[in-house]
Amino acid sequence: MVFSSMEFICVFFPIVFLINFIVNRIHFKNILLLLSSLIFYAYGEPIYVLLMVASAGFNYIFAIIITKIHRSSILFLCITINLGILFYFKYTIFFIGTLAGMTGLDLKVPDIKLPIGISFFTFQALSYIIDIYRGNVKVQKNFLNLLLYISFFPQLIAGPIVKYKDISEELEYRKMDIKHVAEGIRRFICGLGKKVLIANTMGAAADAVFNANNNDINIFVAWLGAVSYMLQIYYDFSGYSDMAIGLGKIYGFSFHENFRYPYGATSIKEFWHRWHISLSTWFKEYLYIPLGGNRKGRVRTYINKFIVFFCTGIWHGADWTFIIWGLYHGFFLVIEDIAPLLKKMPQAVSYLYTMLVVCIGFVFFRSDTVSQGIYIIEQMFTGFSYNSAGISLVVSQLTPWFIVMLFSGIIGMVPVMPLAKWIKKLENSVESRKYYLMQVLSYIFSALMLIWCIIRLSGNTYNPFIYFRF
């Protein structure tokens, strides 16, 4: 089940919301949310819900053992088993296929179905067990609470990655009131609009380009696909994060922001401070710093960055396109450290450089093969041959709705600073009536957006879920 589905919006969410509103005690609310989360996951993964429960049980036991026998060998064993399960389900087919291709051996590739969200709940379990070992959090003695942390449906299948230490207190005590519920619903609708209105529209155009024959791809087609996918991935991913944050707030949980206008960055380093923050901070805290971070000289720092971004790439999917995308970003991070001239460029030039690097990188991320990615990038700069099929492809995608959503996506991808400062000023000034009027208008707009999203969903079967590889 996905958030942008009629089943979730019209059936699952209203039922869970109403029951949660009726139930008073936190203990019973937790049981309700746990059962709801298991049903939510089992709706799409009826068998692998048992794997998730087993993973939670395994880490629950190991956390207790670590508190009694504080040894690095036990932590290492626990991490190895967690990553071993992830490797088996996510990377076995890729590993065997790569080995067969390199050696020429006729190896049988097993038919292993990837459990949705396995990377997310595995990383959440790892953060819990590592923080227990470090003494940053107390062990959770209530297994149901730990299982709720790992399986909580708002962030289960598409993030953000929530560290146990960030919500450990809210599992035991949390405040829920009308204001937080209203803000959470508004945030959810905002994310739903990003996903259904902008991301799906951009995704249809991107799919048309990346599924086209190579002979039909010229410079215009290639840039249409690259820009469309760049907007799709941002509005889809940030939209899901908004929906997760909003749902968390409805039920009394505070999730950290996962995106802070990454397409407003003027360097790749700044981009990664703004993009998928929960993943980048996870790798920084649990991989980059333990490897030595930047404390062991420049060469070691660069090696550590490449290791982190290799892992970042392969975390997103078991394919060479993701690995290249990760190493590509690692390369530019190192280049920005080595070449001080990049830091002295005019801001407008720095911005264009950053967006170009990000856009090209996402071509690899979206491509089915490395060769397809290279070909489309080549056509972005040298594809000056034209044929009727290529022209027809571009014209067919440039509908009035696409153009409106394209401009909406471009405007919404960077912070409108004067407006943001004006809103902040209203919050802290005597002009509070204007601020409250703006709040009322925002809720009215949200209600209208929800209605329009439902209309779009009921009349359009195109609603891709792009996190199946995660």
Side-chain angles (χ1 to χ4, degrees):
M1 191 185 306
V2 296
F3 298 153
S4 57
S5 66
M6 298 296 287
E7 296 90 343
F8 182 87
I9 297 171
C10 299
V11 180
F12 182 87
F13 171 71
I15 291 174
V16 176
F17 174 79
L18 288 174
I19 298 176
N20 182 75
F21 183 78
I22 295 171
V23 175
N24 289 323
R25 292 180 59 186
I26 289 292
H27 174 70
F28 293 120
K29 286 180 180 290
N30 285 351
I31 292 177
L32 166 67
L33 293 179
L34 173 59
L35 292 175
S36 302
S37 298
L38 296 178
I39 293 171
F40 175 87
Y41 192 75
Y43 183 86
E45 299 283 11
I47 298 298
Y48 287 140
V49 68
L50 300 177
L51 173 67
M52 183 176 62
V53 173
S55 174
F58 158 76
N59 285 285
Y60 171 78
I61 294 171
F62 258 84
I64 294 175
I65 294 174
I66 286 174
T67 58
K68 297 181 181 299
I69 308 174
H70 193 265
R71 293 181 181 175
S72 59
S73 58
I74 298 177
L75 175 66
F76 178 78
L77 176 62
C78 184
I79 292 174
T80 301
I81 294 174
N82 275 291
L83 293 180
I85 295 172
L86 179 63
F87 181 90
Y88 173 77
F89 283 100
K90 191 169 183 176
Y91 304 108
T92 299
I93 295 175
F94 170 69
F95 179 78
I96 293 177
T98 301
L99 184 62
M102 293 174 62
T103 62
L105 296 174
D106 185 17
L107 301 176
K108 183 179 179 180
V109 179
D111 183 18
I112 301 174
K113 184 182 178 184
L114 177 66
I116 294 176
I118 188 171
S119 296
F120 287 105
F121 69 71
T122 298
F123 270 36
Q124 293 200 172
L126 285 172
S127 75
Y128 169 69
I129 209 75
I130 294 171
D131 283 339
I132 289 292
Y133 177 81
R134 292 175 175 176
N136 294 337
V137 294
K138 294 181 180 179
V139 68
Q140 176 57 255
K141 296 182 180 179
N142 186 328
F143 172 66
L144 296 183
N145 281 357
L146 181 65
L147 181 56
L148 173 60
Y149 156 68
I150 290 176
S151 67
F152 192 31
F153 71 86
Q155 41 73 46
L156 174 59
I157 60 174
I161 300 171
V162 179
K163 301 184 185 74
Y164 176 77
K165 61 186 176 184
D166 292 333
I167 66 166
S168 58
E169 293 184 5
E170 292 173 337
L171 286 169
E172 307 290 345
Y173 172 80
R174 55 187 180 271
K175 181 181 178 181
M176 289 160 283
D177 54 36
I178 297 298
K179 179 183 178 182
H180 285 91
V181 170
E183 290 176 350
I185 291 175
R186 183 176 60 181
R187 185 67 180 269
F188 175 84
I189 295 173
C190 176
L192 182 67
K194 283 183 176 181
K195 160 63 179 170
V196 174
L197 303 181
I198 300 179
N200 284 2
T201 303
M202 295 298 107
D207 286 354
V209 172
F210 283 88
N211 293 334
N213 294 323
N214 284 351
N215 294 334
D216 299 336
I217 298 177
N218 55 41
I219 189 169
F220 297 112
V221 175
W223 276 103
L224 173 66
V227 173
S228 295
Y229 185 71
M230 184 178 174
L231 290 173
Q232 181 197 7
I233 189 73
Y234 169 62
Y235 281 101
D236 204 302
F237 213 163
S238 68
Y240 259 95
S241 292
D242 285 341
M243 287 188 274
I245 292 169
L247 288 169
K249 182 170 285 191
I250 290 170
Y251 298 113
F253 292 90
S254 300
F255 298 156
H256 293 311
E257 294 294 334
N258 206 24
F259 292 86
R260 288 194 178 95
Y261 296 106
Y263 292 168
T266 55
S267 69
I268 299 302
K269 181 178 181 180
E270 184 185 358
F271 173 80
W272 278 100
H273 286 160
R274 296 165 173 252
W275 177 273
H276 204 344
I277 300 169
S278 63
L279 180 66
S280 58
T281 54
W282 195 99
F283 274 120
K284 178 181 179 181
E285 188 171 343
Y286 300 110
L287 181 59
Y288 180 69
I289 293 177
L291 285 172
N294 59 359
R295 304 186 306 274
K296 298 185 177 182
R298 276 197 165 194
V299 175
R300 181 64 179 273
T301 298
Y302 300 152
I303 292 173
N304 291 342
K305 286 184 178 182
F306 274 113
I307 292 173
V308 167
F309 276 89
F310 170 83
C311 294
T312 301
I314 202 167
W315 180 88
H316 282 88
D319 201 298
W320 284 107
T321 54
F322 294 109
I323 295 173
I324 290 174
W325 173 78
L327 294 176
Y328 169 86
H329 275 270
F331 170 79
F332 278 98
L333 281 170
V334 171
I335 289 297
E336 288 181 357
D337 280 345
I338 294 174
L341 287 176
L342 289 175
K343 300 177 182 179
K344 298 178 181 179
M345 292 188 300
Q347 189 172 19
V349 177
S350 296
Y351 178 74
L352 291 175
Y353 143 77
T354 303
M355 290 302 98
L356 181 62
V357 170
V358 170
C359 185
I360 291 173
F362 276 136
V363 172
F364 275 115
F365 194 94
R366 172 60 180 82
S367 297
D368 295 324
T369 62
V370 175
S371 59
Q372 183 189 33
I374 294 173
Y375 181 79
I376 292 177
I377 292 170
E378 179 185 350
Q379 295 305 301
M380 289 169 67
F381 300 96
T382 64
F384 297 107
S385 61
Y386 308 100
N387 57 41
S388 58
I391 295 173
S392 176
L393 176 57
V394 173
V395 172
S396 67
Q397 298 305 315
L398 296 181
T399 62
W401 175 254
F402 173 86
I403 294 172
V404 171
M405 289 300 101
L406 175 64
F407 280 104
S408 299
I410 292 173
I411 293 171
M413 73 183 191
V414 293
V416 183
M417 295 309 297
L419 178 60
K421 290 179 180 178
W422 181 70
I423 293 173
K424 191 67 176 178
K425 182 180 179 181
L426 284 181
E427 290 177 335
N428 301 319
S429 72
V430 294
E431 299 179 270
S432 57
R433 279 184 293 183
K434 290 183 180 179
Y435 175 72
Y436 289 129
L437 176 61
M438 186 177 61
Q439 290 289 313
V440 171
L441 292 175
S442 72
Y443 282 109
I444 294 174
F445 179 76
S446 297
L448 294 174
M449 183 184 292
L450 176 61
I451 294 171
W452 185 239
C453 287
I454 292 175
I455 292 173
R456 294 287 297 183
L457 287 171
S458 60
N460 190 353
T461 58
Y462 183 80
N463 187 30
F465 182 72
I466 62 178
Y467 312 103
F468 67 94
R469 290 178 171 179
F470 299 1

